Amino acid sequence: MKEGYIYEKIMPLSEIDVGYTVQVLKLLTTGLQRRRMLDLGLIPGTVIEVLRKSPLADPIAYNIRGATIALRTEESRQILVRQMN
Amino acid sequence: MSLMCKSCSKAVLNKKFNIKLNCHDDLVIALAGNPNVGKSTVFNALTGLNQHTGNWPGKTVENARGNYKHKDKKFVLVDLPGTYSLLANSVEEQVARDFICFGKPNATIVVTDATCLERNLNLVLQVMELTDKVILCVNLMDEAKRKKIKVDIKGLEKELGIPVVGTTARSGEGLQELMDQVYEIALGFQTTSPRPLVYTPDVEWKIEELTPKLVELLEGKLNPRWVALRLIEGDPTILDSIRNFLYDDKDSNAQEEVACIYEC
Ligand SMILES: Nc1nc2c(ncn2[C@@H]2O[C@H](COP(=O)(O)OP(=O)(O)OP(=O)(O)O)[C@@H](O)[C@H]2O)c(=O)[nH]1
Ligand SMILES: [Mg+2]
């Protein structure tokens, strides 16, 4: 990541509202959990879009590399992103 | 029949996956891939059956097998649940993983979505790490064309070292060639050379350390390098599956040894 990004607002994915596009900066997970996220396409640098919330706002659906994938808040909390629009 | 089968390498199909072969010459082909890429559509087109083209959860592998004939051979096609990886995160993923690992298919077709190949190739690489009897089916070629995406089939073939076929399963385009390739690979008329994935030196060193013991324990039933990687990764489900599928009716020493490697 470029150094300039340090001054941008870094937030957990769980805090991003529907309709926004963000870029993955960092995964806070380790081990198998991290591996699973990488397998879903959540690789640092990946641009993802927040598609919609379920009635209870958990899980939330995202467009990740062309597939719609629902993540629970306990997962999306562990993904640090920066907003793009 | 089952007595006869016990001694052959395909006994596990009958015993664990409830797949009965009419004849020992039948070739078993697994259909793997990410969710929603058209696996069941390919399955239906080849077998003439009518699998749900939709989501899988709750269904079992035995519900989704069908037959087709190509040239002089009979094939049993197994439609697997969609999965993003061979790491078993859910029941469906474990069903798919276990079948590819332990069902001993004569070949595995990995169906992918031509419009988002990058994300699909992750699973392709994982399957290539496990077996060299693999064919890549790049499906939804009509959608790619519509979105002005050009897929370099020959380039993919060269990069990956496995046969690649472009298809539009919905209209049947490319399926003849897919069956030709499956025939060649399943019968061993053509061999592949999957691009090797090399890890960082510390991981490679660990693999080397584990491999001799695993070669001994696995007796050629599973790719030792692949198992070593899973152990390093710490996937506990792979041990359960190894116990379940490989050491079912053997002495329990071997199981304990596998467990021991894992815990050390
Ligand atoms: N345009 C187009 N649509 C296709 C093609 N192949 C499949 N489809 C459609 O894609 C959707 C998903 O197809 P399925 O066969 O259910 O996909 P699947 O991989 O079995 O899905 P899961 O079992 O959920 O993993 C269906 O609506 C199919 O009609 C194709 O080549 N072109
Ligand atoms: Mg299906």
Side-chain angles (χ1 to χ4, degrees), chain B residues 39-40 52-56 79-80:
Chain B
K39 297 176 297 296
S40 299
H52 283 299
T53 47
N55 253 335
W56 241 83
D79 188 15
L80 297 175

Side-chain angles (χ1 to χ4, degrees), chain B residues 33-42 52-56 79-83 139-143 167-171:
Chain B
N34 283 10
N36 220 36
V37 294
K39 297 176 297 296
S40 299
T41 309
V42 171
H52 283 299
T53 47
N55 253 335
W56 241 83
D79 188 15
L80 297 175
T83 164
N139 191 36
L140 293 135
M141 286 296 271
D142 58 333
E143 279 295 309
T167 63
T168 300
R170 206 186 250 175
S171 67

Side-chain angles (χ1 to χ4, degrees), chain A residues 32 35-36 38-41 64-69, chain B residues 84-85 87 89 116 118-119 122 126 233-236:
Chain A
L32 285 180
R35 177 61 199 268
R36 170 167 183 264
L38 294 171
D39 282 340
L40 289 177
I64 305 173
R65 294 176 181 262
T68 302
I69 290 173
Chain B
Y84 289 111
S85 84
L87 195 83
N89 290 303
C116 50
E118 189 183 29
R119 81 134 39 256
N122 183 46
Q126 289 187 11
E233 205 168 51
D235 180 355

